[in-house]
């Protein structure tokens, strides 16, 4: 799979974020509620040090409502402030954010500056616009470098920066990379549709079989993912001379999934978080 993030990009992003973080008092971390673990940046906590952070599980309108609660409970148990939000239908998000940070900023000289951070496509620009109450950040594609950053006052004391901090996605873990690709957070080429769709089918077959059965009117999900993909292609009329067009079928399935046509789904639960490997014996030898 082509990931689109190389060490050079990550280094640049890391330098920019370290620089930007110096100017703020707190971070608003945007992750995707459908994959809160895989859409968080592996190094944010290290980079942000002990600055207060609030985690926003965005796109909760596309996520499994039961698993939204599971994730919130998981973060609460760890003492990580988090809430589920929807950039498209934000309700009183602005007030909630003000209330959260008001409690923290009381002893400081205002303004208390917050920066929105997260991986591409998490919804950073959308949420900045919601918080600012007007369209100041371009959504859909990423702005280039952080230039001439402005701050917008949310109330008398609290400000957000108009430009988000862009973090690189968690791609060193294959499962995370695939889940990110399923949601479209990692850009993929047409060639990869089949590969990513097969991953998605294997997942759906296991966790949301009814979504597949209903949407594509399959008789069962007992077959292997590749056979299910073929069946979906046939049902959807994604054909080429000689059989099913797997690339096209994969694209159809991924578009259905990304736009919510397969229902509300979450791609991972806290139980999917890999346990850190114990350090290898070699690592302990120094000098
Ligand atoms: N369904 C849904 N889509 C959202 C939500 N927030 C953002 N989006 C969409 O996700 C895409 C990426 O949003 P954007 O704000 O540009 O993400 P950024 O790359 O993090 O700045 C856009 O197409 C948004 O319309 C949300 O809460 N729900
Ligand atoms: Mg953006």
């Amino acid at each position: 799979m082509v990931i689109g993030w190389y060490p050079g990009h990550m280094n640049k992003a890391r330098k920019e974020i370290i620089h930007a973080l110096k100017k703020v008092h707190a971070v608003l971390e945007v992750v995707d509620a459908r994959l809160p673990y895989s859409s968080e940046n592996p190094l944010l906590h290290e980079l942000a040090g002990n600055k207060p952070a609030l985690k926003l599980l965005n796109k909760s309108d596309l996520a499994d409502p039961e698993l939204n609660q599971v994730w919130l409970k998981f973060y609460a148990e760890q003492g990580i402030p988090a809430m589920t939000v929807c950039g498209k239908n934000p309700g009183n998000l602005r007030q909630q954010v003000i209330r959260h940070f008001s409690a923290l900023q009381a002893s400081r000289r205002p303004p208390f500056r917050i920066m929105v951070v997260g991986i591409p496509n998490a919804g950073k620009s959308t949420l900045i616009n919601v918080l600012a109450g007007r369209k100041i950040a371009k959504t859909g594609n990423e702005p280039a470098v952080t230039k001439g950053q402005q701050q917008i006052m949310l109330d008398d004391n609290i400000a957000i920066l108009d430009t988000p901090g862009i973090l690189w996605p968690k791609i060193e873990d294959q499962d995370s990379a695939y889940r990110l690709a399923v949601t479209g957070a990692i850009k993929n080429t047409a060639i990869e549709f089949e590969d990513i769709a097969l991953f998605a089918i294997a997942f759906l077959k296991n966790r949301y079989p009814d979504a597949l059965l209903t949407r594509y009117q399959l008789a069962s999900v007992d077959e292997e993912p590749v056979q299910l993909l073929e069946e979906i292609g046939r049902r959807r009329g994604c054909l080429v001379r000689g059989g099913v067009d797997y690339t096209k079928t994969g694209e159809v399935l991924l578009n259905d999934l990304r736009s919510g046509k397969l229902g509300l789904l979450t791609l991972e639960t806290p139980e999917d978080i890999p346990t850190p490997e114990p350090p290898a014996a070699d690592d302990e030898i120094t000098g």
Side-chain angles (χ1 to χ4, degrees):
M1 190 161 44
V2 178
I3 301 286
W5 281 84
Y6 296 97
H9 293 115
M10 294 190 200
N11 251 328
K12 187 163 170 276
R14 181 210 294 256
K15 279 186 192 147
E16 282 179 8
I17 207 107
I18 288 172
H19 182 71
L21 280 171
K22 287 185 185 142
K23 294 181 281 186
V24 302
H25 302 103
V27 295
L28 208 45
E29 181 195 9
V30 185
V31 297
D32 186 323
R34 294 168 298 173
L35 59 180
Y37 166 72
S38 293
S39 62
E40 83 189 359
N41 177 272
L43 278 187
L44 177 64
H45 300 294
E46 195 181 302
L47 298 175
N50 48 18
K51 284 186 208 296
L54 174 60
K55 201 186 262 291
L56 300 182
L57 281 67
N58 190 37
K59 307 197 186 186
S60 60
D61 57 316
L62 297 173
D64 183 328
E66 270 176 42
L67 289 179
N68 282 342
Q69 295 313 313
V70 168
W71 277 106
L72 287 178
K73 184 163 168 272
F74 170 76
Y75 289 124
E77 279 165 4
Q78 299 195 32
I80 297 172
M83 52 178 149
T84 49
V85 303
C86 171
K88 293 211 157 159
N89 188 9
N92 65 348
L93 175 62
R94 184 185 158 110
Q95 277 66 42
Q96 285 178 283
V97 166
I98 291 172
R99 206 178 311 134
H100 180 83
F101 287 109
S102 291
L104 299 171
Q105 63 89 43
S107 61
R108 293 171 194 262
R109 201 160 57 96
F112 184 82
R113 276 188 301 277
I114 305 168
M115 184 166 71
V116 174
V117 302
I119 68 168
N121 210 42
K124 300 178 297 300
S125 304
T126 304
L127 291 172
I128 288 174
N129 291 338
V130 165
L131 294 172
R134 60 199 147 98
K135 206 165 180 235
I136 51 166
K138 224 165 96 180
T139 56
N141 57 2
E142 289 302 324
V145 196
T146 340
K147 278 188 204 134
Q149 213 166 40
Q150 306 281 310
Q151 62 183 34
I152 295 120
M153 299 305 294
L154 297 187
D155 69 356
D156 289 344
N157 302 314
I158 300 175
I160 53 159
L161 301 188
D162 67 350
T163 317
I166 299 166
L167 296 165
W168 60 98
K170 192 173 263 162
I171 50 181
E172 71 282 10
D173 176 79
Q174 270 289 299
D175 281 338
S176 287
Y178 268 103
R179 288 182 204 130
L180 287 160
V182 167
T183 65
I186 294 180
K187 288 199 189 75
N188 43 257
T189 60
I191 295 168
E192 293 165 332
F193 285 148
E194 180 185 342
D195 187 27
I196 298 162
L198 286 173
F199 178 90
I201 291 173
F203 163 80
L204 291 166
K205 181 178 136 96
N206 183 18
R207 299 260 178 100
Y208 297 99
D210 289 345
L212 277 179
L213 289 170
T214 313
R215 177 80 189 160
Y216 304 111
Q217 294 165 344
L218 303 174
S220 85
V221 290
D222 296 339
E223 290 164 281
E224 289 302 308
V226 68
Q227 288 156 331
L228 292 172
L229 184 69
E230 186 171 350
E231 186 59 32
I232 293 167
R234 233 189 291 284
R235 301 243 161 206
R236 280 298 150 125
C238 303
L239 305 172
V240 278
R241 248 158 47 95
V244 167
D245 183 339
Y246 290 99
T247 302
K248 181 81 196 128
T249 312
E251 185 180 8
V252 164
L253 179 113
L254 291 173
N255 284 340
D256 283 353
L257 191 151
R258 290 171 188 171
S259 61
K261 292 200 181 101
L262 286 170
L264 305 180
L265 352 142
T266 294
L267 298 172
E268 60 193 14
T269 73
E271 286 175 13
D272 294 315
I273 298 176
T275 36
E277 301 217 348
D282 287 3
D283 292 353
E284 282 159 27
I285 300 165
T286 50

